[in-house]
Amino acid sequence: MTTMRLARSILVAAGIVAAACSREHRPADADRDGVAAGADCDDSDPAVYASVTAYRDVDGDGVGAGSGAPFCTGGSAPPGYALAGADCAPDDPTRWRLVDKLVDLDGDGFTYREEGSLCTGAALPPPYLSAASGNDCDDSAASLYRWVVTYRDQDGDGVGARPRSISCLGAHVPAGTSIAGYDADDADPAVVSAPEPDDLRLLLD
């Protein structure tokens, strides 16, 4: 019996020591919010634990402006502030981001890039598009939208000869011209030569 009591005492003592050691190695968390004191920005308040940088959001669109300020919060920005900054129109809730000016004035689906940036909201106002499409060479005419390298085709065999020119065209190449420019004799429709690479046409494509 004495032996059993001794063994029980040893087990109890070991449990006490183990619990004490566990407490010693467990990170302190005074407010019991699950965030250790070393990482908690305020370990006396269980409602706040994260350090964030927030920006004054005057128009309430979710994007602030100006210099960021540090806050100790529950992970979100305090009222009147936003976690995102750089609002391009801090007094207008319908606009908050800068985008490239990709314009399609003639409505042909092809854009050109204007200088500068556009301050807008979720949707872009016409005639701006969100993604570039082609490189419109004449945004005042819907029938013209691409730069094309052409050659005069005097003999009408479908292959022209130098000198070449760069033209603003649409779907079709004008009569008397060709996008091929390797005709060895442009006065004789029966004579052409092997095509040669055209670096300028490849660059425009």
Side-chain angles (χ1 to χ4, degrees), residues 37-64:
D40 196 324
C41 54
D42 186 350
D43 203 32
S44 65
D45 184 351
V48 297
Y49 50 83
S51 294
V52 301
T53 299
Y55 305 83
R56 193 81 175 94
D57 183 14
V58 176
D59 56 13
D61 58 7
V63 181

Side-chain angles (χ1 to χ4, degrees), residues 108-183:
D108 59 6
F110 296 92
T111 61
Y112 78 95
R113 188 184 300 272
E114 284 185 345
E115 291 187 5
S117 300
L118 174 69
C119 182
T120 184
L124 299 181
Y128 297 98
L129 299 181
S130 59
S133 176
N135 183 20
D136 202 326
C137 53
D138 188 344
D139 206 33
S140 64
S143 60
L144 303 174
Y145 51 82
R146 60 179 181 136
W147 292 108
V148 183
V149 178
T150 59
Y151 304 83
R152 282 190 64 187
D153 180 17
Q154 300 184 82
D155 57 12
D157 59 4
V159 181
R162 293 180 183 241
R164 63 189 173 189
S165 61
I166 302 175
S167 305
C168 181
L169 303 176
H172 305 290
V173 176
T177 63
S178 171
I179 61 171
Y182 49 85
D183 200 327

